């Protein structure tokens, strides 16, 4: 009975650890104390979705940051096929609002902030792409998962 209880507790305690996925890539940032982790990049029904975390450490100064997702903005986030030189900017709804995370966020130290954007998918023959995110170094040549 004790052995069964031990195995059950071991399984329950190990589940959260097994469920935590490693990022596809981690890069630095132009902001001290901030880094970026690309979590997912997948193509489905003609849409390319990127999901990443903004990660801050204890040296980060809490403040409001404006992440840009509109094509007309300088330093806009996008994906790029470097081989063909094609940029894929975030999709927008009928009102012109980007299909992405909220642009303005108050970031605090020692936290993770999940973000995402949806872009037109590149053709099926494009199997990897680079993702450029405001404040972050580029995530280069990331394999695209097809769903």
């Amino acid at each position: 009975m004790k052995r069964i209880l031990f195995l059950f507790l071991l399984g329950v305690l190990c589940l959260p650890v097994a469920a935590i996925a490693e990022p596809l890539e981690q890069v630095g940032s132009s902001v001290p104390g901030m880094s970026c982790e690309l979590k997912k990049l997948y193509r489905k029904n003609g849409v390319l979705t990127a999901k990443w975390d903004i990660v801050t450490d204890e040296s980060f100064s809490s403040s409001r940051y404006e992440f840009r997702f509109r094509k007309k903005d300088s330093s806009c986030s996008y994906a790029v096929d470097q081989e063909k030189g094609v940029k894929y900017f975030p999709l927008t709804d009928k009102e012109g609002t980007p299909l992405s995370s909220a642009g303005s966020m108050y970031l605090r130290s020692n936290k993770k902030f999940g973000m995402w954007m949806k872009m037109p998918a590149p053709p099926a023959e494009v199997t990897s792409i680079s993702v450029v995110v405001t404040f972050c170094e580029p995530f280069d040549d990331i394999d695209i998962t097809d769903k």
Side-chain angles (χ1 to χ4, degrees), residues 1-12:
M1 182 67 171
K2 287 182 184 179
R3 182 180 170 140
I4 293 172
L5 180 60
F6 172 76
L7 292 174
F8 172 76
L9 290 174
L10 183 63
V12 169

Side-chain angles (χ1 to χ4, degrees), residues 2 10 24-25 41 122 128 136:
K2 287 182 184 179
L10 183 63
L24 299 174
E25 186 172 347
L41 182 66
S128 67
C136 301

